[in-house]
Every structure is written in structure tokens, then in C-alpha cells.
Amino acid sequence: MNTNDLIEDLARGLTPAAPLWRPGKRAAAWSVGAALYLAVLVVSMSAVSARAGGAGTGFWVSQIAAVVTGLLAGRAAFVSVVPGLPKGSRIWAVFAAVVWLGTLIAALPQDFDWATVLAARHEWVCVGFIVVGGAPLMVVLAVMLRRGAPLHPATTAAFAALAVGALANVGACLSLPHANSAITFAWHGGVVLALVALAALTGHFVFVWGAARSQSIVNGPAGHGT
Amino acid sequence: MRAAQQGHGASYMELLRTITPRIRQLIRRQRGFAGIAEVEDLVQDVLLSLHTVRATYDPARPFVPWLLAIVRNRLVDGARRYARIARREIYVDEEDVTFFEPATNDDNGELEDAAALHAAVRALPEGQREAIELLKLKELSLREAAEVSGTSVGALKVATHRAMATLRRTLGKRRE
């Protein structure tokens, strides 16, 4: 097709496309929804009061770091689907993730034994909480992100997985008691890392120009609010 | 672009007509080796992408960085696509049509191969030879051949596979 004909076709078939909310606002909307969902999940599962009552400062510091990581990673994911925005948010998200892992490492007991930690079979419940419990959050986030531009599919997917993993980790820590931070570090950290790696590898299947394009041309633009 | 987001087709057309020569110029500068058709493909790719994600444009921010980010992304994707195609496909310039090429109509070669093939089949172990004769020479179905030979379909498949491998090896050595 001739480029001039294409321009005429695009202009002729133009439908209104309300600008998307700014990335920070979209991330905040998703985070509020995620927090409510996880709160319901935690309360319905358990013993949050018993866990929180016996928790030390280290526990809460690492939970706060995980929450901050989730929020910043969510924002970085939303920023990555808007063309022309600076990439600083990615650095902040990575920095927060490093701090979160740092808090877990700092709280490791002196005499922990890797064999015991890795043999903690009850931690599969936490893995299930993070993966299965986090799945609806991931789906909602992916749907919201697909309304943007799939400029960097691997990066977008990795930050989305980090956001979901970090927040779901907090839910898992609050709902299921852990013997020590070594278990949290190895199991929760390992699962989140695996999710991020998997998302980075498969992101290009989810965030695709072709799909967004055909959807936009057939049904009108992807935009309208969130 | 703000007017375009509100659905004003005329403004949108004016915008696209204004930016298209600049996009084309940018692509030519970045892809000096690309032909006219390739450049136009990339220009159209950028225009379609821009159209698809027009909702991501924030009217409070400048338009050019937004546009350039899309152009850069499409150029990188285009380069990846080009590299992928170049790696998987071989450009064939002028290949002889099989039937007009004298070498393909050499009767001597065909007879020689047929004789070699007969010899190679005769040299096969009993089970493999029988499988080849029934399936390839007499062209029986697997079930018919199994009934004639008194073996299972699976055993026949294995024997045929091994016989073909042996023949390929034997005839290959002869040719070398």
C-alpha cells in the first residue's frame, strides 16, 4: 500500500482515543487494587495477628522494602509502555529490589544451614501463595500494560513480575509464619527471581505490536483511562 | 496530536503528512543501505505503530520525544527482523530449472544408480530386504506387508528405517 493511502485510511478511520492516565496514577490504581486483594487473601487464610505480634524489627523492615519494591516495580512497568519517558524509574525499582534482598540477607541467622532451609517443604505453601495468589494480579497488570506501547516486552514483563512477586511475598509472609529469614530469603527470593526470569523470557509473547495493532484498527484505540 | 486523540481526522491527516517526510529522512539516515521499498515499509510500520498507541501520548508532554521513541523502537525491531530473515533464508539468484538441465537427463547415470541400488538391496540383511521389497518395490501397505511377512507393523517400520539408512550409507560411499 502507498504511504499516502495509508495516511488517508488511518485518518478516515480515526476514532477518539482518550489519553491513558499517567504511569504513576495507573500504578497507584493497580497497587490499591492489589493491596485490597492481598489483604482479603491474607485475612481469609490466617493468622496475621499471631505472626505480626511475634515479629521483630527485621521482619517489618524487609516487608516495607518488599512493598516499596512492588510499588516502584509496578511504576517502572507502566512507564516502560509509554514512549519517550525517562528510564530513571527502572533504576529506582532495581535499587529497591536490591535493598529488599539486602534486608533479607542482613537478617540471616549466623548459624543457618542451607540443607535445612532448602528442605523446608512447608514453604511450598508460600510458593503456591506467591504464584497462584499472585496470578490474578499479574493478569490484571498485563491487561493494563497491554494498553500501552510494547516497546520493551522483556523489561515490562520483568518489572510486572517483580511488582507482583514482591507484593505477593508480603502476603505470604503475613499469612504463614516462618522460622527464620533464611527460609524467606531462599524460598521467597528464589520464587520471585524465577518469576522475573520467566516473565523476561516470555514477555514478547504477551506484549506484541501485532496484537495491539489489529485490536486498535478493528475496535478502535486501546486507550480510555486506566 | 491532541486534536487527533479527540477524533479529528483532518488534524490527524495533517499531522501524519507533516511528520512522514521527517520519519522517512530519519530512517534513511539510520538505514543507509536500505532500498526505497524497505524504507517505505519502515515508514508505514512507524505510522501504524503510532496510530496503535496514540492513547499513550500525554498532551502535557512534548510530542517529538514520544514520536522518536516509537521510531527508534520500530527501527530496532526492523533490524532484528532483517537479521532473522537473513539468517534463515538463502537468496537464490539464478537456479537452473531441473528438467532443462542436461545433467538431470543423463540416462547412463540413472542406469548405473539403478544397478547399484539393486546390488545394495541384495546385500541387506534378510528382514530389512524383505521390508524394502514389500513396502518400496511391491508398494504394499504396512498392514498388507505385515500379513505377508508375518511380522508386526512396528517391526516392519523399524526394519524399513534401518534398511533405508543402510542404503543411504552404501550408495553414498559408492558416489564418493
Side-chain angles (χ1 to χ4, degrees):
Chain A
M1 183 190 262
N2 182 294
T3 303
N4 287 330
D5 293 343
L6 175 69
I7 290 172
E8 279 173 23
D9 280 359
L10 292 177
R12 205 177 302 125
L14 185 71
T15 49
L20 291 175
W21 287 354
R22 289 191 174 172
K25 198 174 170 185
R26 297 182 79 204
W30 175 79
S31 302
V32 168
L36 290 174
Y37 164 76
L38 287 171
V40 170
L41 208 60
V42 169
V43 170
S44 66
M45 269 189 80
S46 77
V48 59
S49 54
R51 179 69 188 93
T57 316
F59 171 81
W60 288 113
V61 168
S62 82
Q63 298 317 309
I64 290 168
V67 169
V68 172
T69 302
L71 297 177
L72 290 178
R75 187 172 189 282
F78 281 108
V79 167
S80 73
V81 295
V82 178
L85 288 186
K87 294 174 180 172
S89 58
R90 297 179 195 182
I91 295 165
W92 283 112
V94 171
F95 179 70
V98 170
V99 169
W100 171 36
L101 289 178
T103 60
L104 289 175
I105 292 169
L108 286 179
Q110 294 291 327
D111 54 347
F112 79 95
D113 172 28
W114 276 113
T116 316
V117 167
L118 295 175
R121 291 182 187 279
H122 58 275
E123 282 302 306
W124 283 110
V125 181
C126 283
V127 173
F129 188 102
I130 294 172
V131 176
V132 181
L137 295 179
M138 191 68 191
V139 170
V140 172
L141 188 53
V143 169
M144 290 175 80
L145 290 170
R146 273 168 63 99
R147 293 183 165 188
L151 299 168
H152 311 285
T155 310
T156 303
F159 280 119
L162 180 61
V164 170
L167 294 182
N169 152 79
V170 176
C173 284
L174 290 177
S175 58
L176 304 155
H178 296 91
N180 59 52
S181 68
I183 288 179
T184 315
F185 172 71
W187 285 83
H188 294 209
V191 172
V192 173
L193 216 61
L195 285 177
V196 169
L198 184 69
L201 289 173
T202 56
H204 62 280
F205 293 116
V206 182
F207 306 109
V208 191
W209 276 106
R213 186 176 295 167
S214 55
Q215 186 189 355
S216 164
I217 289 167
V218 175
N219 303 325
H224 300 301
T226 56
Chain B
M1 190 63 192
R2 196 177 305 172
Q5 283 182 325
Q6 289 164 2
H8 296 299
S11 307
Y12 191 47
M13 195 184 295
E14 192 185 331
L15 172 77
L16 294 183
R17 287 205 167 130
T18 308
I19 62 173
T20 297
R22 294 179 188 188
I23 295 172
R24 192 176 287 123
Q25 192 181 10
L26 196 70
I27 292 172
R28 273 200 200 122
R29 205 182 306 148
Q30 298 276 327
R31 296 275 182 278
F33 54 87
I36 294 171
E38 275 177 78
V39 170
E40 280 314 298
D41 275 354
L42 283 167
V43 169
Q44 293 187 12
D45 194 19
V46 170
L47 292 177
L48 281 167
S49 301
L50 178 155
H51 180 78
T52 305
V53 299
R54 62 193 185 279
T56 63
Y57 172 66
D58 179 355
R61 298 184 70 88
F63 175 72
V64 174
W66 179 82
L67 174 66
L68 287 180
I70 295 174
V71 174
R72 270 196 302 270
N73 180 266
R74 302 321 295 148
L75 276 173
V76 170
D77 269 10
R80 280 195 198 125
R81 208 167 39 237
Y82 179 81
R84 208 163 40 235
I85 290 170
R87 201 167 54 236
R88 288 182 186 166
E89 292 181 8
I90 300 167
Y91 179 69
V92 179
D93 194 13
E94 278 184 32
E95 218 31 31
D96 290 321
V97 178
T98 310
F99 298 111
F100 295 137
E101 189 58 10
T104 58
N105 297 306
D106 184 354
D107 288 346
N108 293 330
E110 194 179 311
L111 281 173
E112 186 186 66
D113 278 350
L117 181 63
H118 278 299
V121 170
R122 272 200 304 278
L124 287 172
E126 175 64 28
Q128 292 180 19
R129 188 171 68 244
E130 189 179 21
I132 287 289
E133 280 172 358
L134 293 174
L135 290 169
K136 304 292 179 189
L137 302 180
K138 293 183 181 171
E139 297 184 336
L140 297 182
S141 70
L142 272 168
R143 190 174 293 171
E144 289 166 344
E147 279 172 14
V148 172
S149 62
T151 56
S152 67
V153 169
L156 263 178
K157 280 184 183 174
V158 172
T160 311
H161 177 76
R162 285 179 180 162
M164 293 301 285
T166 309
L167 289 175
R168 204 172 293 126
R169 227 173 14 247
T170 312
L171 295 172
K173 274 181 193 164
R174 262 187 75 90
R175 211 164 287 148
E176 284 166 12

